[in-house]
Amino acid sequence: VEHQISLHAPDTIIAKRNFERIMYDKGVSVKTYRSDNGVFASSEFEEEIKKEDQTITYSGVGASHQNGVAERAIQTVIERA
């Protein structure tokens, strides 16, 4: 959707809102997120999730098998870079 320059919560929230705007234009409502802990576990990001009446679940630390599709896509990008 867009390249994010930093991994700080305010930039992540802006990227989240931009993503959701694109999805809304396509008729999709984002109700839940699945994430690693990182910036997504910050109080600012969690407040944003609650404010939008959304939910978020987290994969376990070091448990890339819980997020296999995303992990494979990341690996593909790294291999082709």
Side-chain angles (χ1 to χ4, degrees), residues 5-17:
I5 296 171
S6 80
L7 295 178
H8 297 105
D11 292 332
T12 303
I13 292 168
I14 290 169
K16 172 190 172 290
R17 290 176 182 164

Side-chain angles (χ1 to χ4, degrees), residues 49-65:
I49 293 287
K50 288 177 188 173
K51 183 181 85 172
E52 296 299 324
D53 199 28
Q54 297 168 321
T55 60
I56 187 167
T57 58
Y58 300 99
S59 57
V61 175
S64 59
H65 62 280

Side-chain angles (χ1 to χ4, degrees), residues 24-65:
Y24 179 80
D25 291 345
K26 297 185 181 299
V28 176
S29 175
V30 180
K31 298 183 188 275
T32 190
Y33 285 90
R34 177 136 178 104
S35 166
D36 61 6
N37 291 305
V39 70
F40 304 104
S42 71
S43 60
E44 297 97 335
F45 193 84
E46 288 186 342
E47 286 174 24
E48 170 74 10
I49 293 287
K50 288 177 188 173
K51 183 181 85 172
E52 296 299 324
D53 199 28
Q54 297 168 321
T55 60
I56 187 167
T57 58
Y58 300 99
S59 57
V61 175
S64 59
H65 62 280

